[in-house]
Amino acid sequence: MTDTAALSEEAGADQGPVVPAPRRPALSPSRAGDFKQCPLLYRFRAVDRLPEQPSTAQVRGIVVHAVLEELFGLPSAERVPARAHALLAPVWARLRAEREELASLFPAGADAEDAWLATAARLIDGYFTLEDPRRLDPEARELLVETELSSGVLLRGYVDRIDVAPTGEIRVVDYKTGTAPREIGEAKALFQMKFYALVLWRLRGVVPRQLRLMYLADRQSLTYTPDEAELTRFERTLDAVWQAILRAGRTGDFRPNRSRLCDWCAHQALCPAFGGTPPEYPGWPEPDAGEETPLDRAD
């Protein structure tokens, strides 16, 4: 036990349990994307922290991500489709037990739930058409990465998978359980991947050789090769996004930005662009700590 740990334990014995300090606010790819899409959406999620009922598609994404994470925890020879399918029901049962709100996801009964699990199984089959996991040895799965830029902005996010070649080249892999996107969706996905690439570059001093998005629904891959100049420009973009968030936070001026993406927003009833009234602004400077939820990474 270190001296610091010993002192903390001793203090806890005398004064009751030690309350951990709140995590420093950070920018995640999901929250940065929210602000770029619609500042009011950022406020609803990161400041007001309004609850959102997950959709069956989102929860399916969580389940498939968890199955693939567990698959790579098995010996390489066992990473076959049948073994992945065998993981599906136990993973879903565990997630449903951990999150009470998921118990009511299928009011129509077991037949609807079984049909939904079958769609998850097809996504797993889609994964196996894109690569053979028996030939891979990922360095990390579901890795929390965090770094502070020279401007002081703290970046934080979870990477689905990191592969490192014997020569040291890094590949960042992200699973997508939807179909390959059109222009808007592709830009959003690459924004997320560039975020991870920037964090890893600042942490390791090496620009990832490849960013790979695997779209399991239509069994397509999108690969991208970033470079230092591009990531330097992207760093300036994130700095600008964070400064804009801070300005909005001080004034409470989080304006809605109406777009086609509003059709999927859970907060239309509170949005002025749709005749709604947001809740009273709770104030600043305590934004969300930048923690991405499984729903953020389930698309």
Side-chain angles (χ1 to χ4, degrees):
M1 180 182 294
T2 65
D3 290 342
T4 302
L7 286 172
S8 297
E9 185 173 288
E10 185 175 323
D14 292 339
Q15 303 173 12
V18 176
V19 178
R23 297 194 71 179
R24 176 181 163 192
L27 191 62
S28 70
S30 298
R31 296 295 80 81
D34 287 345
F35 191 85
K36 283 169 59 65
Q37 175 184 325
C38 174
L40 185 59
L41 176 62
Y42 174 91
R43 184 202 137 171
F44 285 157
R45 286 178 168 169
V47 183
D48 297 295
R49 306 184 195 183
L50 300 180
E52 296 183 16
Q53 179 64 35
S55 68
T56 55
Q58 288 174 314
V59 176
R60 180 179 59 197
I62 296 174
V63 171
V64 171
H65 275 74
V67 167
L68 294 178
E69 181 186 5
E70 290 196 13
L71 185 71
F72 277 104
L74 299 174
S76 58
E78 296 183 27
R79 299 174 197 158
V80 295
R83 192 72 174 87
H85 284 289
L87 291 171
L88 184 56
V91 164
W92 167 231
R94 186 188 75 235
L95 292 173
R96 189 174 50 194
E98 292 172 352
R99 300 184 56 173
E100 293 181 0
E101 72 273 20
L102 301 184
S104 60
L105 200 61
F106 297 101
D111 288 345
E113 184 174 355
D114 289 344
W116 174 79
L117 279 172
T119 65
R122 287 195 290 273
L123 291 173
I124 291 170
D125 288 335
Y127 165 75
F128 279 95
T129 67
L130 295 173
E131 66 180 9
D132 184 350
R134 294 173 299 180
R135 303 178 61 183
L136 299 168
D137 186 21
E139 180 188 89
R141 314 182 310 276
E142 289 293 321
L143 178 67
L144 173 63
V145 292
E146 182 177 295
T147 193
E148 183 176 338
L149 303 181
S150 58
S151 63
V153 179
L154 186 63
L155 305 182
R156 182 182 296 143
Y158 281 89
V159 181
D160 283 351
R161 198 178 89 208
I162 296 176
D163 301 333
V164 179
T167 54
E169 294 172 311
I170 299 172
R171 177 171 65 180
V172 181
V173 178
D174 194 71
Y175 309 119
K176 298 294 184 185
T177 51
T179 57
R182 300 184 184 274
E183 184 177 349
I184 293 177
E186 182 173 322
K188 183 177 180 180
L190 284 177
F191 180 91
Q192 176 189 31
M193 296 301 278
K194 289 178 186 179
F195 186 104
Y196 297 145
L198 173 61
V199 174
L200 290 169
W201 179 33
R202 292 309 186 202
L203 286 173
R204 303 188 181 198
V206 177
V207 174
R209 179 69 179 82
Q210 186 183 87
L211 311 178
R212 187 181 188 199
L213 290 152
M214 302 177 69
Y215 291 95
L216 310 186
D218 53 6
R219 307 181 181 191
Q220 294 186 40
S221 288
L222 173 64
T223 59
Y224 190 79
T225 301
D227 57 38
E228 289 192 12
E230 180 178 23
L231 293 183
T232 298
R233 292 192 298 271
F234 187 72
E235 182 173 342
R236 291 197 292 269
T237 296
L238 293 181
D239 282 336
V241 169
W242 185 243
Q243 291 306 314
I245 288 173
L246 293 179
R247 286 194 297 272
R250 286 190 290 267
T251 63
D253 186 13
F254 290 90
R255 300 184 183 184
N257 179 32
R258 191 160 183 168
S259 72
R260 286 178 290 174
L261 296 174
C262 294
D263 292 342
W264 291 273
C265 183
H267 307 296
Q268 280 192 15
L270 298 174
C271 179
F274 292 87
T277 301
E280 183 179 353
Y281 183 56
W284 202 257
E286 289 299 333
D288 183 84
E291 300 289 0
E292 289 195 307
T293 69
L295 288 177
D296 292 322
R297 310 193 301 277
D299 53 351

